[in-house]
Amino acid sequence: MGRPGLIGMAARTAVVAGTATAVSGSVQRHQQDKYNQQQQADAYQQQQQQAQIDAAAQQAAQQQAYLAQQQAPPPAAPAPAASVDIVAELQKLAALKEQGILDDAEFAAAKARLLA
C-alpha cells in the first residue's frame, strides 16, 4: 500500500507545480499589461507635451510677425507725378496750331488731354 501514497504525492506535486506555473504566468501577464499601459501613458504624455510645444512655437511666431509689422517703417509715399506747367503746354499747342502743324480737331483733342 505504499505505492498508492507515492502516486498521491506525485499527483499533489504535479498540482502544486501546475498551480505555481499558472500563477507565475498570470503574474507575468499582469506585469506585461502594466508595462504596456505605462508605455501608452508615456506616449500620450509625450504627444501632449509636443502639442503644447508646437502651439507655443506657433504663438511665438505670430507674435514676432505682429511685432515686426508694428515696428516696420510706413511705406514710402509714392513719388509725386511730374508737375506739368499747363500754361506753357497750352502755349506750345497754340504755337503748333498757328504754324499749321495741328488742325483745330488735333488742337482740341490735345488741349482736352492736357486739361483732364
Side-chain angles (χ1 to χ4, degrees):
M1 299 234 163
R3 291 205 184 247
L6 283 176
I7 293 175
M9 185 172 282
R12 257 183 274 161
T13 302
V15 168
V16 169
T19 302
T21 301
V23 169
S24 173
S26 176
V27 168
Q28 187 177 14
R29 277 190 302 279
H30 178 69
Q31 288 175 340
Q32 186 64 39
D33 288 345
K34 274 181 84 170
Y35 176 78
N36 289 340
Q37 288 174 353
Q38 185 62 42
Q39 290 296 94
Q40 289 174 351
D42 290 347
Y44 177 77
Q45 187 176 16
Q46 286 176 348
Q47 288 174 345
Q48 293 302 311
Q49 288 174 347
Q50 188 61 47
Q52 289 174 347
I53 290 169
D54 293 344
Q58 184 179 10
Q59 185 178 12
Q62 289 173 345
Q63 286 175 346
Q64 285 179 343
Y66 175 77
L67 290 175
Q69 182 182 9
Q70 296 300 317
Q71 294 173 354
S83 62
V84 175
D85 184 3
I86 295 176
V87 174
E89 292 298 317
L90 285 173
Q91 288 174 344
K92 288 179 189 176
L93 287 176
L96 291 173
K97 182 180 173 202
E98 285 178 18
Q99 293 172 8
I101 298 174
L102 295 177
D103 63 21
D104 288 341
E106 292 170 331
F107 175 77
K111 180 179 163 184
R113 279 194 306 269
L114 186 61
L115 296 175

